[in-house]
Amino acid sequence: MLHFENDYNKGAHPALLEALSQTNLESLSGYGTDKYTLSAIDKIRQVSQCLHAQVTFLAGGTQTNQLVIDTLLKSYEGVLAAETGHISSHEAGAIEFSGHKVLTLPHVEGKLNPVDVQQFIEDFYADNNHEHMVFPGMVYISHPTEYGTLYTREELERLSQICHNYRIPLFLDGARLGYGLAADTDLDLPTIAELTDVFYIGGTKMGALIGEAVVFTKNNQPKHFSSIVKQHGALLAKGRLIGVQFDRLFTDNLYFDLGKHAIELAKELKAILREKNYRFYLESPTNQQFIILENSQLEILSQAGLVYSFWEKYDTNHTVIRLATSWSTSRDDLLALRDIL
Amino acid sequence: MLHFENDYNKGAHPALLEALSQTNLESLSGYGTDKYTLSAIDKIRQVSQCLHAQVTFLAGGTQTNQLVIDTLLKSYEGVLAAETGHISSHEAGAIEFSGHKVLTLPHVEGKLNPVDVQQFIEDFYADNNHEHMVFPGMVYISHPTEYGTLYTREELERLSQICHNYRIPLFLDGARLGYGLAADTDLDLPTIAELTDVFYIGGTKMGALIGEAVVFTKNNQPKHFSSIVKQHGALLAKGRLIGVQFDRLFTDNLYFDLGKHAIELAKELKAILREKNYRFYLESPTNQQFIILENSQLEILSQAGLVYSFWEKYDTNHTVIRLATSWSTSRDDLLALRDIL
Amino acid sequence: MLHFENDYNKGAHPALLEALSQTNLESLSGYGTDKYTLSAIDKIRQVSQCLHAQVTFLAGGTQTNQLVIDTLLKSYEGVLAAETGHISSHEAGAIEFSGHKVLTLPHVEGKLNPVDVQQFIEDFYADNNHEHMVFPGMVYISHPTEYGTLYTREELERLSQICHNYRIPLFLDGARLGYGLAADTDLDLPTIAELTDVFYIGGTKMGALIGEAVVFTKNNQPKHFSSIVKQHGALLAKGRLIGVQFDRLFTDNLYFDLGKHAIELAKELKAILREKNYRFYLESPTNQQFIILENSQLEILSQAGLVYSFWEKYDTNHTVIRLATSWSTSRDDLLALRDIL
Amino acid sequence: MLHFENDYNKGAHPALLEALSQTNLESLSGYGTDKYTLSAIDKIRQVSQCLHAQVTFLAGGTQTNQLVIDTLLKSYEGVLAAETGHISSHEAGAIEFSGHKVLTLPHVEGKLNPVDVQQFIEDFYADNNHEHMVFPGMVYISHPTEYGTLYTREELERLSQICHNYRIPLFLDGARLGYGLAADTDLDLPTIAELTDVFYIGGTKMGALIGEAVVFTKNNQPKHFSSIVKQHGALLAKGRLIGVQFDRLFTDNLYFDLGKHAIELAKELKAILREKNYRFYLESPTNQQFIILENSQLEILSQAGLVYSFWEKYDTNHTVIRLATSWSTSRDDLLALRDIL
């Protein structure tokens, strides 16, 4: 079986497991107050060039999105997101469960268009009845998006400016941030820290067993945030589990190297797909590639041993599938894939 | 000033005020257990030809929608509604505040198309990832809709059948039900009681000071519903305030007569508008009429003393406004309006 | 039947019904923006000697408590209250439903002891684990309490000082405030406005059909409060219903006169009870009186036509019942009661 | 430094880390559908002698309590617990945050008395106003309790019978269940599975890096539970992290052996404490021991290198501290402790 279905089907990068082993029998304080967690926070501040950043480690993406959005919004506010945003479609209603509407806008290859965001907010305040409507209280973007695409620096600047003008936070979901940073892009981590109000650095899809690092960049972490995390059932007694892994990820450039590895292999994957005349659904510069198959091919590829993700119906006869590289993909995997295709 | 902006700008129909006066000094039990409330419930059962109906009186439409939807849905379920549905757009996020997503579908002149509902549910269950998505757990319709339009009996039967097939309730928001029942329609109250699982009979827009009657038609009222109402802060100590009014509304056919009055005047209003060559936004058979004006006319009509509702922008140069008749509109009002137009 | 069971078994004071009738056919704007509501707000500011007060009218006590507490607390905070406080025991868990713990303290005849409040907060912050506990975020008192008792000016000053020191709001539930103001007391309305951060002036138990006036006294009303009220399903389309009644209540001293009337009759009631050698459960200076009966007397009094409230078991053989006077109690009622007793 | 402060200051038992390493590079399906998770479920069914049990793995205790309680209760219900129960005091209001009141009863050395539970429920239903109060909808116990004490089989049978009579579930919090099972007790795992409706088997305090196994024993797991878990932000993409650890814990009797080890050392700890004339706060048969120290001793012991948990003030001059053994405590630790004491 050849696994290209996602970027989280393996366990941890070996260096992270090793770090867990090496620190395993140390007695450490609980709930994210241990020295490895503190060290990881410090390293994230350094690489983000945001020395006053407030960093908290959480278990997963949906939990992180729910906690950030629920705590930064007022009760009468909703969050603006692309209709394809993860919070809109694939988190089982976690945002609404916490009391807030996801105000969806059309997407352009998974991205929000700053013009649409500006227009939505303008129209909202122009409406005489807006006190009976849900206030736009935050802008949520994912980077890379659910379609693997990336915002340009200029796009992020424009979104940041709009949010600044209306005094609402800009939140960047970085579940796959490492892959985004390693792609051809003019957006680096310090710029993201500067232009957003809060973002998170994904671990689960970047070689950690578990863990996402939420970074509040503008001294805007809600007061008593750890109590809020506890109240959501999201505070781990052994916070070290995530702290040790992130401490290692941000040692010796590992996080960035894992991203680069996956992006290099993604480029080779694209070359193979082009060579074999596969049709791309869109142009993705990151580790997720989307191609359009005739429905008849789906079963053939499965039987040949390829594990992919069914993404969506394209039309009656065609289907979009996802192939993803990751920190754990090898050149041998690509060669084997080439043979199958 | 000539008031056509909505159907709730006056107080109560005089007969209701009189009923409140006549019963005012009687000592009655609280929280909706008084004899007038019980009598009103009985009368609603009779006119709905649904003798086992469970009826509860609440204060307003948003409160009613929130209570019905929140209590009938499981936490992982959302409610299907037209994008123009009141719960989607003009209730300040009350449904999401109670934890549930409003799953919006396109509207056809304010109505849900049964084909779209069927397709949405089918697609949902066909999706491999649907356990990570919000389950469709209820269908919400308004009748008349926010655009004054009405479902046909056949449309309601089809929606009812779909809901039945998927074992989810069909909920009809009848904030203006009396106007809908009095229009040219093949849907009467007993049929609505038969085809829906829960609906409400609006009072506030039909001559009451306050009050909506929620009717659970299939012995499906949530257990301990009055405790739930109390917990939402929606249980009135002096439940008589609503009970007495509904008891009077359903005495001597008053509720239906008020509807007929408004619909007759709405027909005359339409005739005047046609005569004066106004352009209709859509064909509404009920008390709300929507016309398209050049923006320049808006101020002129206001200055002439007409109070209307701004509805929405039509295009850069045109605006949709609403004119509504009600139980309190008089022929003199129409004559005066004719002069202005 | 002789009704002493509570202070809300009648409809409205006739002057309020008359005001509703007189204004009934005026066309007014909705949602609490009409002129009578604005006038009522102005009058409440005047009598409270708090000209910048922010006043909102809501339907009932539980709704008011839920809205005030939920919107002023942070998610990780709870509200301190006496174990006998209405929010602790008789609101069907409305506070917890909105996400907050009621942190109960022992009561002294229905009142919180400032010493207990100070101690609780000190102990909380002294606890190393307090980040895993619910923060005390507000103090809730009722005045009169559920047992009819009143805080003294000194007690309220001490509670106010404690809240001020810890920067948490003091909230006074005035469901029966008019009765409290008319009793022998050194606390008047301006002092209450000065010493509390938010309080409400009860209407339902003071002769209104419905309605409570929430008063934020320190320019501390949550932003976009009307949207929040709407979101809770608590915004009435015909806000005039409450506005007109409060406008009348605060015209010609009516609210205060109704209180005085009930307190005078309560004194006469106490005299009768003493004369007949009934045993008081506690000394209440307001309109609610609590007496201890042998269980055998309960049925006898009921059969004689007295309607009272069962309050609580006193011991195996005795029961506490409540007798209440109100704006609607007459001297004839007292004479009839005297005959029964 | 000598660590006796709790049972979660180390990482994982080495066998669990080894299992994670061995399976690390296998490609597995996500979200708890992998083969190790399925195997762990099967093993838990076996040792519980409850072959139809529905088992779900979650990250931590507060999360588990919140999910179980919120999903099994109706909105108008609360959960009965001892005032010292973890959900009452040390979960930052997580239960109230999910909308439910914790109905507290006095504790007897951390335990609920079945007589108190029965009385509370009887009194509730005897109260005429109970529709305005929070319904008792579940009984929550911890076993071992927060004070290390254990229910007897007879006590659990009585609680189970009461719950059965009133048709409400009995929920056992087993954060330290392994230590309870290994102590002198007449309660084994199959009996617990039989007498409770849902319980959880703690991993975090029993040698896992993370993880608790929730066991619904009566085919009563809420429908679409994984969607609910997702909606709470509690579904791990790499469910294998917990599945692999529990699969190992229930292989070769490891979970039970770890419990036995800690209990043996706890007995030796008690012997040392007695030998040194320390005063016990209560008699605990499990791994947590509570002793009363003069305040002056606190600093002395800390300086000698002992890490303990401050528990609570005993009186002005004395303090209760906790010393805990665990799967990771060694005899050398005890010898060193003896020297310090």
Side-chain angles (χ1 to χ4, degrees), chain C residues 282-311:
Chain C
L282 48 66
E283 171 60 28
S284 157
T286 62
N287 72 315
Q288 301 181 87
Q289 297 298 322
F290 300 87
I291 56 175
I292 302 168
L293 296 182
E294 284 190 35
N295 294 343
S296 56
Q297 288 180 276
L298 293 172
E299 184 60 17
I300 294 168
L301 287 175
S302 287
Q303 291 198 342
L306 176 64
V307 188
Y308 53 80
S309 272
F310 172 92
W311 208 248

Side-chain angles (χ1 to χ4, degrees), chain B residues 9 11-12 24 27-28 208 238 240, chain C residues 9 11-12 24 28 208 238 240:
Chain B
N9 59 73
N24 188 49
S27 286
L28 297 175
K238 294 181 181 168
R240 66 197 290 161
Chain C
N9 59 74
N24 189 49
L28 298 175
K238 293 180 181 169
R240 65 196 290 160

Side-chain angles (χ1 to χ4, degrees), chain D residues 223-240:
Chain D
K223 217 175 146 185
H224 298 303
F225 194 59
S226 76
S227 298
I228 296 173
V229 170
K230 174 81 181 169
Q231 189 179 55
H232 278 75
L235 192 64
L236 297 187
K238 293 180 180 168
R240 67 197 288 162

Side-chain angles (χ1 to χ4, degrees), chain A residues 9 11-12 24 27-28 208 238 240, chain D residues 9 11-12 24 28 208 238 240:
Chain A
N9 60 74
N24 189 50
S27 287
L28 297 175
K238 293 180 179 168
R240 67 196 289 160
Chain D
N9 60 74
N24 188 50
L28 297 175
K238 293 180 180 168
R240 67 197 288 162

